Amino acid sequence: MSAASSPTSFRTESDGFFTNAEKEEFHYTVFAPSRTAPPPAETDGSVPVLLCVHGAGMSGDCFFRLARELQRRSEVSKDDQVSSPLPPPASSGKGLPPMSESASLAMEAVAEVRGDDMDMHILTYDMRCHGQSTFAGGENHLDMEVLMEDFLNFLRYAKEELFPNSHFFLLGHSLGGAVVARALSGNKAAQKRVSGFLMVDTVEGTAQMSLAHMSDYLKRRPSYFPAVDDAVAWFLHFGGMQSAQGAAVSVPPLLKQNPTTGQWHWRTDLHKMEAVWGGWFKGLDDAFVSLPCAKMLCTANAERLDKALTVAQMQGKFQFEVIGNGCGHYVMDDATATLAAKVRRFVKRNELLAQKLRYLNMTVPKDYLSTTTTAKPPN
C-alpha cells in the first residue's frame, strides 16, 4: 500500500509482487500482527494467516481498516497475555487417557488468553485488472476461470513462499468470495492449504439479481472526477458505502490521474466486464456449502440470504452471521470493528480446535492405536 493510497501509514505493512508463470505481476500487501513479528517465512506457525480477496472494481486496500482493527485489538492486550503451553503427551497406557486437570486448565487458559485478541497476519492481493496488479488480457476477459487460476496461483505462492508454517484462513468479499468458493470446490490440493473460509456479503441469488441492474448503475456513475475528494463523496452518496472514514481509505486507490487533464479516472473499467460477469456467481451456493473446511457466511442483513443457503444454514452446514445496524455492502468499511470481532472469534475457535486435536493425537498411545485398528470384530 503506497503512502498515496491511504492517509494513515500502517506501521507493520510490507508490499510485494508475485510473478506467475506468464511473467505477470500481482501486487500484495502483508500486515503483520505486531511490530516485533518475525519475517513471514520465519514464523513458527503459531500465528495464522488471513488471506483477503476483494470484490469487483475494488483493490486489496479495501481491507486496510479491517487489518488495522485486527492489529489494534491484538496489541491492546499484548502485555496482558501469558504463555500457557500444553503439558507433554502421555507416554504409556492401554486406553485413551483422560485429559489431566493441568491439561484442561492449560486449554482453558489458551482459550481465555487468545479470545478476541488472537494474533494473525493479514494478507491481501490485487486481482488482475485491479489496483497495482497486471492488466494483461483486459477487463473484458476477466471471466471466472481466469480469476480462479490467478487466486490458486497466489494461494500456492503465499503458502509455500510467504507463510510455509502457518494455517491459512480465507476471507472473500463479494466477487472475491465467489472466486474463493469456486476455486476451492473440488480442488483437494487447494483445500489442504485452507483451515477455514469466511464469505462476506456474497450470495448467489442476491448477486445475480444485483447484476441485472449493474448496467444502469454504471451508466449513472461518472467516468472521471476533478479531484479525489469528489470521488469519495460520490461513493458515499451513490456508491453504496456508508462510512466516511472507510471511503477516505478505500476509494483513492481505485483512481488514477490523467497527467494531461489532471482528472481522476477509475483504474478498473467495470463496463468492459459486462460480457463476463454473468458467470461470476453461477454455482456459488453449491460450491460454498460443499467445502469441507470450516465456513462462515457474514451478510449485511438477513434478507440477503437466498433459498438455497437458507436451507443449508438450517441444516447446520455453515455458520451464519448478520452485521445489521444499517450496514451496507462494503462491510469491511461500514462495520469494521463488528466484522473484525467475528473474524477473530472464527479463527480463534478453529485454531483452538486444531490445537486440541493435535494434543489428543499426541496423547493417544501408539499401541492403543495399533490394537484398535487391527482388532477383529467378535464372532
Side-chain angles (χ1 to χ4, degrees):
M1 182 185 298
S2 64
S5 66
S6 171
T8 305
S9 177
F10 200 101
R11 61 178 174 270
T12 54
E13 71 173 78
S14 60
D15 290 81
F17 283 89
F18 157 66
T19 304
N20 64 12
E22 287 72 34
K23 307 302 181 183
E24 299 165 336
E25 291 189 333
F26 293 81
H27 172 256
Y28 67 85
T29 303
V30 177
F31 301 95
S34 67
R35 281 171 285 187
T36 58
E42 297 179 14
T43 58
D44 59 5
S46 61
V47 179
V49 175
L50 180 69
L51 170 55
C52 302
V53 187
H54 64 80
M58 302 302 289
S59 75
D61 286 348
C62 70
F63 296 106
F64 173 87
R65 279 165 50 82
L66 177 63
R68 184 171 61 182
E69 176 66 20
L70 288 169
Q71 186 201 49
R72 183 195 67 79
R73 188 67 183 93
S74 67
E75 288 202 341
V76 163
S77 58
K78 185 75 67 176
D79 295 337
D80 297 329
Q81 294 188 10
V82 295
S83 176
S84 299
L86 293 178
S91 58
S92 62
K94 289 291 183 181
L96 178 63
M99 185 175 288
S100 66
E101 181 179 359
S102 60
S104 298
L105 291 175
M107 295 305 297
E108 292 175 5
V110 170
E112 181 67 24
V113 165
R114 290 189 172 180
D116 285 349
D117 306 319
M118 186 168 195
D119 279 350
M120 66 186 79
H121 291 275
I122 298 92
L123 174 63
T124 73
Y125 81 101
D126 296 337
M127 286 185 183
R128 180 185 297 268
C129 298
H130 291 77
Q132 301 179 52
S133 288
T134 178
F135 273 68
E139 292 93 329
N140 56 327
H141 291 97
L142 213 60
D143 58 32
M144 181 54 70
E145 294 300 322
V146 171
L147 294 171
M148 289 193 300
E149 182 179 2
D150 289 342
F151 165 73
L152 290 172
N153 286 337
F154 183 73
L155 175 63
R156 185 184 307 110
Y157 166 77
K159 179 62 178 174
E160 295 178 357
E161 302 295 334
L162 296 180
F163 297 95
N165 303 315
S166 299
H167 293 161
F168 268 64
F169 290 83
L170 309 180
L171 186 153
H173 173 251
S174 195
L175 174 60
V179 170
V180 173
R182 294 275 302 276
L184 293 181
S185 180
N187 190 326
K188 293 184 178 180
Q191 290 173 5
K192 290 180 180 179
R193 298 187 174 100
V194 177
S195 297
F197 173 37
L198 302 92
M199 195 160 68
V200 180
D201 218 38
T202 313
V203 175
E204 181 177 347
T206 306
Q208 295 287 29
M209 288 189 292
S210 298
L211 286 177
H213 305 284
M214 182 62 72
S215 294
D216 291 337
Y217 165 77
L218 292 178
K219 289 177 182 178
R220 298 192 300 269
R221 188 177 79 157
S223 58
Y224 63 88
F225 300 90
V228 172
D229 288 345
D230 296 318
V232 172
W234 182 90
F235 225 92
L236 285 171
H237 287 92
F238 307 105
M241 192 175 292
Q242 300 179 11
S243 167
Q245 294 85 355
V249 172
S250 296
V251 175
L254 309 182
L255 306 166
K256 60 181 179 180
Q257 190 174 31
N258 185 313
T260 302
T261 65
Q263 297 170 339
W264 293 86
H265 298 255
W266 301 108
R267 286 182 179 272
T268 301
D269 190 342
L270 290 174
H271 288 277
K272 294 181 179 179
M273 299 181 186
E274 186 171 5
V276 295
W277 70 39
W280 282 350
F281 299 97
K282 289 182 178 179
L284 168 61
D285 287 355
D286 289 340
F288 175 69
V289 173
S290 67
L291 294 179
C293 63
K295 303 179 290 291
M296 182 175 83
L297 172 63
C298 185
T299 61
N301 56 68
E303 289 73 22
R304 303 199 180 193
L305 208 62
D306 59 17
K307 181 178 179 180
L309 288 186
T310 298
V311 173
Q313 192 272 330
M314 294 177 66
Q315 295 173 340
K317 294 186 177 180
F318 61 89
Q319 179 184 347
F320 180 49
E321 298 284 345
V322 177
I323 297 294
N325 296 322
C327 176
H329 178 56
Y330 298 98
V331 179
M332 305 84 64
D333 290 299
D334 293 344
T336 308
T338 302
L339 179 61
K342 294 181 184 299
V343 169
R344 282 191 295 264
R345 286 194 289 269
F346 178 82
V347 173
K348 172 257 177 178
R349 181 171 61 254
N350 287 285
E351 278 289 276
L352 184 58
L353 176 60
Q355 187 176 15
K356 287 182 177 180
L357 292 175
R358 287 196 300 270
Y359 173 76
L360 289 175
N361 288 335
M362 292 170 63
T363 56
V364 177
K366 293 182 179 179
D367 54 352
Y368 172 83
L369 292 175
S370 61
T371 56
T372 55
T373 55
T374 58
K376 297 181 179 180
N379 294 328

